[in-house]
Amino acid sequence: MTGILTVQCMCGQAAFELHGEPAARAHCHCNACRDFYGSAILSATAWNAGAVQITRGETAGFTHPVRQMSRTFCARCGETLFGTNRLGMRVVPNSIVARAGGSLPQAWQPSMHLFYRHRVIDVDDVLPKYLDGWDGPQFVLA
Ligand SMILES: [Zn+2]
Ligand SMILES: [Zn+2]
């Protein structure tokens, strides 16, 4: 997919654009994402900061008290628009992107599992399952 996709929150008050292609696509099982996003697995794409631009609405932010993570959310409905990770990348949940297009674009489907060591749900699929980050060892079924 190339071009610009406009994504909006549940209530429609806030919107942002995604420009081009994500830098990474993953299901993240880490403790930090689980706590911070309130979901057993965070399925998301990661973007360079400049590729994500808020175009409408009032947003608010929350910075994790300890970790280098923050969230930007709609000031009215509270839905997370995107997070910012410790590398400064924007982390956009697949749920909000899927709403924009009716489904998640095929090219943006997750390509791997990260921090599978910390999972609370087992996943039976063919994607590589890295126990920690993508530069480390993979989970192997015993
Ligand atoms: Zn909203
Ligand atoms: Zn994570």
Side-chain angles (χ1 to χ4, degrees):
M1 222 168 98
T2 53
I4 300 172
L5 181 69
T6 298
V7 177
Q8 65 176 26
C9 66
M10 197 174 303
C11 79
Q13 190 257 152
F16 63 96
E17 291 176 343
L18 295 171
H19 292 248
E21 296 295 320
R25 306 169 278 127
H27 298 292
C28 190
H29 298 257
C30 83
N31 299 316
C33 285
R34 186 158 61 244
D35 288 348
F36 204 55
Y37 295 96
S39 176
I41 302 171
L42 180 71
S43 300
T45 48
W47 300 73
N48 293 317
V52 179
Q53 296 173 12
I54 295 174
T55 53
R56 184 176 78 228
E58 189 184 343
T59 60
F62 176 71
T63 300
H64 192 286
V66 177
R67 298 178 195 270
Q68 291 178 275
M69 304 171 75
S70 64
R71 264 193 271 118
T72 299
F73 51 90
C74 169
R76 190 165 85 181
C77 71
E79 184 175 19
T80 295
L81 304 175
F82 52 83
T84 300
N85 68 17
R86 62 188 171 78
L87 303 175
M89 303 205 66
R90 304 292 186 250
V91 177
V92 182
N94 287 351
S95 51
I96 195 168
V97 176
R99 185 191 303 128
S103 65
L104 189 71
Q106 193 59 40
W108 295 2
Q109 294 288 335
S111 62
M112 59 187 162
H113 293 266
L114 295 175
F115 299 97
Y116 199 66
R117 184 194 305 281
H118 301 291
R119 70 192 180 282
V120 292
I121 294 175
D122 291 331
V123 177
D124 183 11
D125 68 11
V126 299
L127 297 178
K129 295 175 177 68
Y130 295 98
L131 290 171
D132 302 297
W134 54 265
D135 52 351
Q138 291 187 33
F139 171 78
V140 179
L141 207 56

